[in-house]
Amino acid sequence: MKLPPSARFSTVCIHAGQEPDPGTGAIVTPIFQTSTYVQEELGKHKGYEYARTQNPTRAALEANIAAIERGKAAFAFASGMAAIDAISTFLRSGDHVVVTDNTYGGTFRLFDKVLTRYGLEFSYIDTSSADAIERSMRKNTKMVFVETPTNPVMRLTDISAAAAVAHRHDARLVVDNTFASPAVQQPIAFGADLVIHSTTKYLNGHSDSVGGVVVATRDDDVEWLTFIQNAAGAILGPLDSWLVLRGTKTLTVRMAQHNANGLALAEFLSTHPKVTRVLYPGLPAHPQHDLAKRQMNGFGGMLSFDVGTFELARCVCNRVRLMSLAESLGGVETLISHPATMTHASVPPERRREIGLTDSLVRISAGIEDPADLIDDLKQALG
Ligand SMILES: Cc1ncc(COP(=O)(O)O)c(C=O)c1O
């Protein structure tokens, strides 16, 4: 199998990094569940010495995701948070980072509760405004860390504009592309230097693995991440690498249905009398709908809606039958959650208020079921 350089996105997802196993011809990369590799004689081996450093299943996944995100190389980690932690090793004590104010709660917790202990400084700002990013840049700013769309209020950042500001100040632009997935958004094409994912979400897509990945574009970053992945050792195991690799093969078809279901639910909710606000970039009423059309290919499967009171939000979350009340997102099954008490409970209430994350907000990760069944479920839960 030879992947032509002109191969399109879905072909790349299925074939990049995938060579039939040279020993057996197995078409699917095997799970190399081993901790070490036999050496023929001293100093003579097949390129594999110890499985923290190299594992063929992980290497196949990394080559696959690097091609999907159009980066130079990818590095798979034990979770999305481990991937973000690996990114932080680019920084030194005294460095400053500009971060999307409405970043994932776990990212805020890592930055605010752990990394500030090592002399790193963070400014949380509304990165949907390039002017606000510009105003927050300091002499010691080394990184701009952006999440777009944000979780759960679905605010977008213009990636090209953010890259222009970061690069003018000699800083790296990092984009957490978890919410959109590379089928919907390609940050490197807009100037991002590093892309991270929680592979737990759309890349795996089946809610059966926890993992993370960093995609790099610069040679010096590739060299450093190769070093840090081995030095710190928070690698993705072979079984999880295999599960994510199986997931990326169907990314294009899954995302098409996630996009369709996300839009169908958003349109239904925006006509429901008990719903006061629907946050979905695919709706013309979304304040950044034009940017979404420019920057995204489809609008994703994530949406949030406000029902006015905490009581009603609780009622909806408890009354759904087909949807499951659970944290996480990006799987084939539809999940519903209450961000203020679940995913974003670690974000202080005043910060939640600032970003519009009310106690009456409900979030949905639209799966790939028949959308009519999902709408029926929401109808009965809201009724
Ligand atoms: C946008 C985003 N980034 C990062 C993470 C962290 O990923 P993980 O749970 O795999 O550590 C999450 C988890 O929900 C997320 O939603």
Side-chain angles (χ1 to χ4, degrees):
M1 188 282 298
K2 190 119 187 79
L3 191 63
S6 59
R8 277 102 175 152
F9 186 78
S10 58
T11 311
V12 170
C13 287
I14 293 165
H15 293 291
Q18 312 302 293
E19 292 300 333
D21 178 48
T24 61
I27 194 155
V28 171
T29 305
I31 304 166
F32 285 91
Q33 193 73 38
T34 185
S35 61
T36 191
Y37 309 87
V38 172
Q39 308 199 1
E40 275 170 54
E41 56 184 73
L42 267 184
K44 196 167 170 204
H45 54 76
K46 295 183 163 64
Y48 295 92
E49 293 153 276
Y50 184 59
R52 169 165 30 81
T53 324
Q54 312 110 336
N55 178 282
T57 321
R58 195 176 82 223
L61 172 68
E62 292 172 336
N64 180 254
I65 295 183
I68 291 175
E69 277 287 8
R70 296 169 207 271
K72 275 212 171 114
F75 300 86
F77 291 92
S79 67
M81 288 319 304
I84 296 171
D85 192 50
I87 293 267
S88 73
T89 63
F90 284 109
L91 303 163
R92 290 166 197 264
S93 175
D95 286 350
H96 171 246
V97 184
V98 172
V99 188
T100 302
D101 53 3
N102 168 213
T103 196
Y104 167 60
T107 305
F108 174 71
R109 181 174 52 206
L110 174 70
F111 290 172
D112 190 57
K113 301 280 185 293
V114 183
L115 298 181
T116 50
R117 292 159 56 107
Y118 297 93
L120 297 174
E121 298 167 16
F122 298 89
S123 298
Y124 301 92
I125 63 140
D126 177 3
T127 54
S128 66
S129 154
D131 287 347
I133 304 179
E134 181 69 61
R135 283 196 301 277
S136 321
M137 299 301 281
R138 303 181 193 158
K139 273 208 182 74
N140 58 340
T141 307
K142 292 290 161 39
M143 192 176 275
V144 177
F145 186 101
V146 161
E147 225 178 279
T148 179
T150 56
N151 172 15
V153 299
M154 308 304 291
R155 207 188 286 149
L156 308 189
T157 291
D158 183 332
I159 300 173
S160 303
V165 177
H167 295 160
R168 220 169 17 251
H169 292 266
D170 236 1
R172 287 180 180 81
L173 175 68
V174 181
V175 176
D176 182 337
N177 201 25
T178 301
F179 244 50
S181 93
V184 168
Q185 184 169 269
Q186 298 255 300
I188 289 171
F190 294 106
D193 301 288
L194 293 156
V195 172
I196 76 106
H197 280 276
S198 164
T199 60
T200 315
K201 319 301 183 198
Y202 287 112
L203 290 177
N204 167 264
H206 294 76
S207 310
D208 54 12
S209 157
V210 170
V213 72
V214 180
V215 185
T217 57
R218 286 169 38 171
D219 289 334
D220 54 340
D221 288 357
V222 171
E223 200 177 315
W224 176 253
L225 286 163
T226 307
F227 172 79
I228 208 71
Q229 192 186 38
N230 183 49
I235 49 156
L236 190 65
L239 174 59
D240 287 292
S241 297
W242 186 87
L243 285 167
V244 180
L245 200 43
R246 188 170 62 164
T248 57
K249 292 193 171 99
T250 56
L251 182 67
T252 318
V253 286
R254 280 188 290 108
M255 286 316 301
Q257 194 61 41
H258 285 298
N259 287 340
N261 286 5
L263 185 61
L265 292 184
E267 283 173 347
F268 161 73
L269 287 164
S270 37
T271 61
H272 197 284
K274 287 192 181 150
V275 174
T276 57
R277 187 167 65 122
V278 181
L279 308 174
Y280 184 68
L283 292 178
H286 187 284
Q288 294 167 294
H289 182 57
D290 287 340
L291 172 61
K293 283 197 284 190
R294 280 202 309 279
Q295 187 168 277
M296 300 169 82
N297 170 29
F299 305 104
M302 298 303 302
L303 63 144
S304 300
F305 61 102
D306 208 307
V307 287
T309 65
F310 170 63
E311 267 317 307
L312 188 51
R314 181 160 61 180
C315 189
V316 171
C317 289
N318 289 342
R319 286 182 58 173
V320 287
R321 294 182 194 138
L322 179 61
M323 299 183 186
S324 303
L325 176 63
E327 298 205 1
S328 202
L329 61 111
V332 292
E333 57 289 288
T334 297
L335 303 181
I336 195 164
S337 67
H338 182 250
T341 57
M342 295 170 73
T343 46
H344 288 66
S346 60
V347 179
E350 63 281 3
R351 277 181 49 76
R352 292 206 299 266
R353 264 195 302 277
E354 272 163 31
I355 57 179
L357 199 171
T358 58
D359 289 351
S360 44
L361 197 72
V362 177
R363 187 187 85 176
I364 289 181
S365 166
I368 63 171
E369 301 94 337
D370 191 306
D373 291 325
L374 298 174
I375 288 173
D376 284 349
D377 196 25
L378 278 180
K379 258 188 210 156
Q380 66 79 23
L382 279 160

